[in-house]
Amino acid sequence: MSDSKSGSYKLAGVDVEAGYKSFDLIKNHLEKTRRAGSIGEAGGFGGLFEPDLRGMKRPVAVSGTDGVGTKLKIAFMMDKHDTIGIDCVAMCVNDIICAGAQPAFFLDYIAMGRNIPERTERIVAGVAEGCIQAGCALVGGEMAEHPGLMPDDEYDIAGFSVGFVDHDSMIDGKTIVPGDAIIGLASSGLHSNGYTLVRKILFAGDCDLEARVPDFGCTLGEELLRPTRIYVNAIMGLATKFRGKIKGICNITGGGFYENIPRMLPDGIRAGINAAGIPALPVFSMLAKMGAIPQRDMYATFNMGVGMAIAVAADAADAMIAELRSMGEKPIVLGTCEQGEKGVDLIW
């Protein structure tokens, strides 16, 4: 415990001793994420990581940063904070792998009205679990109390991650041509997008987060807090085995299909998506019905059951699907790439 104590600062709303206690509680979670390249000890001013770039002729660092957004409101309402960190990691590393980069390290930033050490530990435990799933090291972070700026019982979390890829192995969509197939990887549900609309739909009237929903196999609150899937192992395993056959990758987040799929396409290529072939997840059916949300708006807001879309060479699609299934994934043929103005057509 540090000797840095300030009764005046504590009276103003910042409890530095709670910060020290939080750090003591989270150190073991950081240790769980150590991997090759992890150097230094927790508590330094900068997070240290020594990348092994041997074998890369022209290494490229790929970075990603994001937060969890208003999904946090559900965590506050349920007082459940152990999975939000997984979401934060997922939102960053799932972007990095779209370039074919292996995530190497991660940092988080947690701003809170009041530092409650036990709650902070639960948050960071989730971050560590996400890092373990992504194969990256949690090399540092920051906790900041903001009394007067945020309510005591609320916080915000954001993250930042860096990965590495050889320049010649980067996936950038430039080689996509008409006839290439698009494979979809299943999402776990809402992931971490569209929660402003979710809350408007569900909380317009009385909504019981503790109510068990048979179609979900859990309570409503548990479904809404179901963590975002992390696709690192699936994508990196596929990229290793099918070098050059993966042409583009799209993380379907906010903006749904209409905003995200075109981001992996070059000019002159349009994606034709077989929306009718996507297995329906009950949570999306419920939201569409309760909110009377038009079909197009659903696909322009949510992932609709597909968390990742991968553009691949047509002659490798079947083998890739088989490989993904061997990893425990549930891939589908989502559509094809066609000649036309860059964009997406959904076919029902």
Side-chain angles (χ1 to χ4, degrees), residues 32-83:
K32 293 175 186 175
T33 73
R34 291 183 72 88
R35 49 155 288 184
S38 297
I39 60 175
E41 300 297 327
F45 287 99
L48 305 178
F49 189 85
E50 183 178 12
D52 182 357
L53 304 179
R54 289 173 297 180
M56 291 190 186
K57 296 179 180 179
R58 188 177 167 188
V60 176
V62 182
S63 58
T65 185
D66 209 338
V68 179
T70 59
K71 185 174 186 176
L72 286 169
K73 286 287 190 180
I74 310 298
F76 302 156
M77 295 170 72
M78 295 189 67
D79 193 24
K80 187 177 187 301
H81 311 282
D82 57 339
T83 58

Side-chain angles (χ1 to χ4, degrees), residues 257-278:
F257 285 63
Y258 288 101
E259 178 181 324
N260 289 292
I261 290 179
R263 293 170 65 182
M264 73 171 174
L265 302 175
D267 289 340
I269 298 295
R270 195 168 184 84
I273 301 299
N274 178 24
I278 300 173

Side-chain angles (χ1 to χ4, degrees), residues 214-301:
D215 284 348
F216 299 164
C218 61
T219 68
L220 174 60
E222 288 169 340
E223 179 63 36
L224 297 182
L225 283 182
R226 194 182 296 278
T228 306
R229 285 201 63 206
I230 291 175
Y231 295 94
V232 173
N233 290 337
I235 294 296
M236 299 313 299
L238 210 62
T240 300
K241 188 164 184 176
F242 295 91
R243 181 180 172 87
K245 295 292 186 176
I246 299 178
K247 300 187 174 187
I249 305 177
C250 160
N251 183 17
I252 302 182
T253 56
F257 285 63
Y258 288 101
E259 178 181 324
N260 289 292
I261 290 179
R263 293 170 65 182
M264 73 171 174
L265 302 175
D267 289 340
I269 298 295
R270 195 168 184 84
I273 301 299
N274 178 24
I278 300 173
L281 292 182
V283 66
F284 297 114
S285 302
M286 180 196 73
L287 291 169
K289 183 177 181 180
M290 288 184 65
I293 307 299
Q295 194 173 49
R296 191 190 188 284
D297 287 0
M298 291 293 293
Y299 280 85
T301 307

